[in-house]
Amino acid sequence: MYHNPVMLHESMEGLSVKPGGVYVDVTYGGGGHSRAILQRLDENGKLIAFDQDEDALNNKIDDPRLTLIPQNFAYITNFCRLHGYTQVDGILADLGVSSHQLDMAEKGFSTRFDGTLDMRMSQKGERTAAAVVNTYEKSALVRIFREYGEIDNASKVADAIIRRRSEQPITTTAELMDTITLYAPRTRENKFAAQLFQSLRIEVNRELDVLKEMLSQTVGLLKPEGRLVVLSYHSLEDRLVKNFMRSGNFEGVVEKDFYGNPLTPFKLVVRKPITASEEEMEANSRARSAKLRIAEKK
């Protein structure tokens, strides 16, 4: 079951859909955002959507204006060109794991179920979470847990995993949980486990690299005044999006011309990220950590 998309109304406001425009939804999922875009397009409008998860393809909306591409959004420019679009009016990205993926035990994304330690967003991916946990050296594990999970005692957690796997491979989410529980801060066990799972998921799917690749291409792909709308769910993603929208690079350094004018490809539509309402957070737990940023190409 695909759940309601987060901040749907705010996302559509941000995208500012022109009825005859061409739009890209780089994270199709259950089709919630795509459906809302199609409702705002006339018969000449076009929507190109991407999703690398095979399950999402089973949700394809039957609409001649929609082209659903079963690929990673890192290849956004190539596939838009392949379908005849060198420039588009708007790009929407709803990052992270869908509720549907979290609810599927066999994908191994969630700490709530016992499942295979997989975590691939596409079954075409070669690297699984089990491969990371059972083959990476200590230094690599520590780096992943620190950088992608912001875990303070990453070294101790890596040691525990290496001890356990030397006896037998860690192949399920329950075995991993059992290995790390002892190292979770008191009263923050759930958050700690979620951060560790997040770090593995980011590594398995190269999520931050892929996000950078996609964002970098939006400058060339968007028409002037085209909108970029991004929903992110953790600080690592949000920082990249914020820096990119503000400066056109991921370090957040604004370059200036000879006269001191900022050389940035975007202007911010909202200065601060939009967050979900109390009502939406109550109804949809995924909305709690969501930040929505909107920029317009100059």
Side-chain angles (χ1 to χ4, degrees), residues 14-118:
L15 207 53
S16 188
V17 177
K18 296 174 186 163
V22 179
Y23 291 87
V24 185
D25 177 358
V26 300
T27 44
Y28 182 79
H33 284 113
S34 282
R35 195 170 274 107
I37 293 168
L38 289 167
Q39 283 166 359
R40 288 161 173 77
L41 292 175
D42 63 23
E43 67 277 12
N44 300 314
K46 272 292 191 192
L47 175 62
I48 300 158
F50 286 76
D51 208 302
Q52 61 182 337
D53 185 350
E54 289 78 0
D55 286 339
L57 307 180
N58 302 326
N59 293 307
K60 185 176 186 294
I61 300 164
D62 185 17
D63 190 312
R65 299 167 301 169
L66 169 68
T67 303
L68 181 54
I69 297 167
Q71 292 287 344
N72 189 304
F73 60 51
Y75 309 113
I76 180 172
T77 303
N78 288 350
F79 281 98
C80 284
R81 282 191 181 148
L82 191 66
H83 288 275
Y85 302 103
T86 53
Q87 287 205 302
V88 301
D89 295 284
I91 299 169
L92 173 86
D94 183 8
L95 303 173
V97 185
S98 70
S99 312
H100 170 72
Q101 287 170 320
L102 285 171
D103 288 343
M104 292 183 72
E106 65 272 24
K107 287 196 183 278
F109 285 118
S110 177
T111 58
R112 289 179 293 141
F113 312 109
D114 185 19
T116 315
L117 212 46
D118 190 320

Side-chain angles (χ1 to χ4, degrees), residues 88-282:
V88 301
D89 295 284
I91 299 169
L92 173 86
D94 183 8
L95 303 173
V97 185
S98 70
S99 312
H100 170 72
Q101 287 170 320
L102 285 171
D103 288 343
M104 292 183 72
E106 65 272 24
K107 287 196 183 278
F109 285 118
S110 177
T111 58
R112 289 179 293 141
F113 312 109
D114 185 19
T116 315
L117 212 46
D118 190 320
M119 298 198 194
R120 290 174 298 169
M121 287 187 178
S122 164
Q123 297 310 258
K124 294 182 193 130
E126 290 172 12
R127 184 182 352 184
T128 64
V132 174
V133 165
N134 290 297
T135 66
Y136 276 32
E137 291 178 2
K138 180 182 173 179
S139 58
L141 289 174
V142 170
R143 177 186 64 78
I144 293 163
F145 299 155
R146 276 205 186 123
E147 278 183 31
Y148 302 156
E150 300 177 286
I151 287 169
D152 295 330
N153 57 346
S155 183
K156 285 182 178 172
V157 175
D159 282 335
I161 286 171
I162 289 163
R163 271 198 306 276
R164 172 87 178 240
R165 78 188 194 194
S166 68
E167 294 161 18
Q168 63 182 75
I170 302 167
T171 58
T172 68
T173 52
E175 286 167 5
L176 180 59
M177 288 287 284
D178 187 46
T179 308
I180 64 163
T181 302
L182 196 62
Y183 301 91
R186 273 245 170 90
T187 73
R188 289 185 53 242
E189 289 88 354
N190 290 347
K191 182 156 198 265
F192 175 80
Q195 285 171 291
L196 190 110
F197 273 53
Q198 171 185 294
S199 69
L200 289 170
R201 196 194 81 213
I202 290 172
E203 174 68 14
V204 166
N205 298 290
R206 294 182 50 248
E207 284 178 40
L208 300 182
D209 294 333
V210 166
L211 175 58
K212 285 179 177 176
E213 285 166 34
M214 184 272 290
L215 288 172
S216 299
Q217 294 171 65
T218 61
V219 179
L221 194 55
L222 281 168
K223 293 176 183 172
E225 297 185 358
R227 292 282 179 95
L228 175 60
V229 176
V230 184
L231 278 151
S232 57
Y233 296 87
H234 57 75
S235 58
L236 302 171
E237 287 174 341
D238 183 56
R239 197 174 304 131
L240 291 176
V241 175
K242 177 177 81 172
N243 286 347
F244 184 73
M245 286 183 173
R246 284 195 174 158
S247 65
N249 59 56
F250 300 110
E251 294 71 46
V253 179
V254 177
E255 293 180 14
K256 296 187 174 174
D257 67 12
F258 180 75
Y259 301 102
N261 302 310
L263 293 166
T264 53
F266 292 103
K267 72 170 189 190
L268 300 179
V269 175
V270 286
R271 289 258 151 227
K272 289 194 166 156
I274 299 167
T275 53
S277 66
E278 289 291 330
E279 295 81 31
E280 184 171 6
M281 286 188 215
E282 292 268 309

